[in-house]
Amino acid sequence: MAEPFDVIVIGGGAMGTAAARTLAARGRHVVLLERFEIGHARGSSGGPTRIFRLAYHHPDYVRMARLALQDWRELEAEAGEALLITTAGLDLGTAGRPTAAALEAAGERLEYLPPDAVSERWPGVHLEAGTEAFVQEEGGVCMAERTVRAQARVALAHGATILEQTEVERMTVRGVGVEVNTVGETYRAPLAVVTAGPWAGPLLRDAGIDLPLVPSFEQVTYFALEDPSPLPTIIDWSMTPPSTPYVVPNPEEPGHFKVALHMSGPPVDADERSFEPDPARVRRVTEYATTRFARHHPERGTDTCLYTNTPDEDFVLDRRGSVVIGSPCSGHGFKFAPFVGRVLADLVTGHSPPIPLERFRSSRPALRPNGRAVPG
């Protein structure tokens, strides 16, 4: 039997390391169990970059992103390195108007630009005449793998224990606490925080919490401009949803960028999925890049990753007795990582979260057996 802890955090990706950091900073005796290694690329938190944006379809998320931005700056100050780099963000197409309306409803600024103004500011971006585009200046890029490692490092500095290569086989609610079994070891604590991404569903079911969480197989393909210049993040609503193209530059390598199609992959088992990219989707993003960017070439190939999807694409941030559920994110959560860590810590400690959580309850209608349409 392992030493007693106040909290067991299961899963050491973006959300798990964020929660461990905040809980340890609040004086909790925390152990974080990671089935692989911190910074691995088998789940949802690997790779060099993720998008940050205030631009969202609903004012609730815009306000959350504003709060998250402050949390990012505090994390950077504590970690002593740049983790979120501002590039500005472009939303393209008339289908982006609800996003513009949500920004305005939340009191945020944006500016519509004609195509020639976009090309003047970003010579590598090509827009057809008449393309509707707006810029939100605080869009940017999260340095993803660096962030996960930084959060883990800060958590350790605050006294957290992090155990890598420690796969959780089962989590059971016992009395007023939880028991977590790994190979050769048993951990007990009053509370567990489940931030296991695509592995969360089976663990939660063991604890009597059955949620319709569906992992999907996603991928991103990398390119580089022949004539390097800075780029913004881009969400291209001019293409038919739900597989909306998005573009994330690497601000530390001007002219380098990745392109992906949001929620374009099939459901998969996290333990049995392939790591080989889908050639059809590689072709689609390559063709898209040809129309949207100046001369460029492939760079670094294609990375694969996993989303963990809910039917309504909202997060799950909730406490069910001794279990805190940490954000199956439907592919859009990384930008909120330090903020989600704070929310999860509030749920553990009994503090009031900084936002209302009704939208993210595990008991909401979209997650009930008689009220869901499970993807795939």
Side-chain angles (χ1 to χ4, degrees):
M1 182 72 65
E3 66 175 289
F5 291 93
D6 297 327
V7 189
I8 302 167
V9 179
I10 303 174
M15 305 307 171
T17 54
R21 167 197 169 229
T22 307
L23 285 164
R26 294 183 186 181
R28 297 307 194 270
H29 189 31
V30 180
V31 61
L32 169 60
L33 307 178
E34 167 52 50
R35 65 187 290 137
F36 301 115
E37 64 281 343
I38 297 297
H40 72 84
R42 299 173 182 86
S44 304
S45 298
T49 57
R50 293 291 189 282
I51 195 170
F52 179 86
R53 56 191 171 99
L54 297 183
Y56 250 91
H57 65 286
H58 195 284
D60 288 352
Y61 278 101
V62 178
R63 297 185 186 104
M64 282 173 56
R66 169 57 67 190
L67 294 171
L69 181 57
Q70 179 61 37
D71 288 336
W72 275 101
R73 298 313 180 200
E74 292 174 4
L75 172 61
E76 287 180 313
E78 191 171 14
E81 58 182 330
L83 301 172
L84 169 56
I85 300 173
T86 301
T87 60
L90 278 179
D91 281 62
L92 306 179
T94 57
R97 290 177 185 175
T99 299
L103 280 165
E104 291 170 337
E108 300 292 350
R109 295 182 178 181
L110 63 112
E111 180 184 3
Y112 278 93
L113 299 176
D116 57 349
V118 170
S119 297
E120 181 178 355
R121 180 170 176 181
W122 295 290
V125 179
H126 288 173
L127 301 185
E128 298 85 0
T131 300
E132 190 165 292
F134 71 80
V135 61
Q136 207 293 318
E137 295 293 349
E138 290 168 284
V141 177
C142 311
M143 307 310 292
E145 183 179 339
R146 185 189 304 171
T147 294
V148 174
R149 295 185 185 280
Q151 290 182 149
R153 187 175 69 249
V154 173
L156 288 170
H158 285 300
T161 299
I162 297 179
L163 301 178
E164 300 175 279
Q165 305 297 334
T166 304
E167 179 179 350
V168 173
E169 296 184 320
R170 185 175 179 84
M171 176 181 68
T172 309
V173 176
R174 297 196 181 280
V176 293
V178 292
E179 181 176 286
V180 174
N181 301 108
T182 67
V183 177
E185 192 64 270
T186 298
Y187 299 84
R188 290 198 178 113
L191 287 156
V193 179
V194 179
T195 50
W199 293 276
L203 289 173
L204 291 169
R205 281 193 291 276
D206 287 343
I209 303 170
D210 190 5
L211 299 178
L213 308 180
V214 180
S216 63
F217 178 78
E218 309 296 338
Q219 61 190 55
V220 297
T221 301
Y222 295 86
F223 303 92
L225 296 176
E226 298 288 354
D227 186 10
S229 62
L231 293 168
T233 66
I234 297 173
I235 297 181
D236 198 336
W237 301 106
S238 68
M239 308 297 286
T240 303
S243 299
T244 305
Y246 66 92
V247 178
V248 184
N250 187 333
E252 296 185 335
E253 297 182 83
H256 289 244
F257 61 98
K258 69 180 184 183
V259 183
L261 303 172
H262 179 59
M263 296 190 77
S264 60
V268 292
D269 183 300
D271 290 318
E272 297 178 2
R273 62 101 163 191
S274 171
F275 287 82
E276 291 298 319
D278 172 11
R281 279 185 282 167
V282 173
R283 285 194 299 272
R284 287 176 62 189
V285 298
T286 300
E287 291 167 0
Y288 170 78
T290 299
T291 67
R292 190 58 77 209
F293 295 97
R295 288 189 308 123
H296 58 275
H297 57 268
E299 182 84 9
R300 288 196 60 233
T302 297
D303 287 343
T304 64
C305 67
L306 298 175
Y307 286 7
T308 307
N309 303 293
T310 61
D312 57 7
E313 299 182 42
D314 281 333
F315 303 161
V316 184
L317 304 171
D318 200 4
R319 177 169 170 174
R320 300 271 291 267
S322 300
V323 178
V324 172
I325 306 166
S327 193
C329 294
S330 298
H332 64 107
F334 198 105
K335 67 183 71 62
F336 297 103
F339 174 80
V340 167
R342 178 155 59 109
V343 171
L344 297 178
D346 288 339
L347 290 170
V348 167
T349 61
H351 289 78
S352 295
I355 58 167
L357 294 182
E358 284 73 21
R359 183 183 192 119
F360 308 112
R361 295 294 182 199
S362 59
S363 58
R364 64 184 186 263
L367 303 188
R368 295 174 189 164
N370 62 354
R372 74 186 190 231
V374 179

